[in-house]
Amino acid sequence: MAWYHIAAAGWILCTSLISFFLCGWDKRCSKRPGVRRVPERTLFGWALAGGSLGLWLGMQLFRHKTRHWYFVWGVPAIFVLEGAALAAWHLLVFCR
């Protein structure tokens, strides 16, 4: 396995972990009045940066943001688009 595969996997793992923990933190803060929450823009930003799988898992495990249609549809859509981008990158770079 080349270094760039390891780097890509490491990036996805790190951003997914951050997204997962941000989702859990936001759920915890939502239960306490007056505590500052994680902005939805931040959650989507980490999902777009490669952490969509972590955010989706956090949504399922913490039962958080599951009533917002833009999270229910948006996070899986980002995941599919990221998978398609990775597949296209792999085909363009390695299957010439």
Side-chain angles (χ1 to χ4, degrees):
M1 188 181 297
W3 67 270
Y4 36 82
H5 286 115
I6 296 169
W11 177 263
I12 291 170
L13 178 66
C14 288
T15 55
S16 289
L17 285 172
I18 291 169
S19 297
F20 179 82
F21 286 117
L22 281 175
C23 188
W25 180 258
D26 191 45
K27 176 66 174 192
R28 182 178 178 186
C29 291
S30 71
K31 302 266 185 200
R32 301 164 55 197
V35 176
R36 189 170 176 179
R37 305 268 310 268
V38 177
E40 291 179 348
R41 179 179 288 188
T42 301
L43 293 173
F44 269 116
W46 279 104
L48 286 169
S52 57
L53 179 61
L55 182 58
W56 183 80
L57 289 173
M59 287 171 56
Q60 301 308 310
L61 181 70
F62 303 121
R63 317 258 314 126
H64 190 53
K65 301 288 186 190
T66 55
R67 292 186 179 195
H68 299 281
W69 67 268
Y70 42 90
F71 275 93
V72 171
W73 291 95
V75 174
I78 292 170
F79 180 72
V80 168
L81 290 174
E82 287 173 347
L86 278 173
W89 174 69
H90 182 76
L91 288 172
L92 289 173
V93 173
F94 301 109
C95 297
R96 291 187 202 190

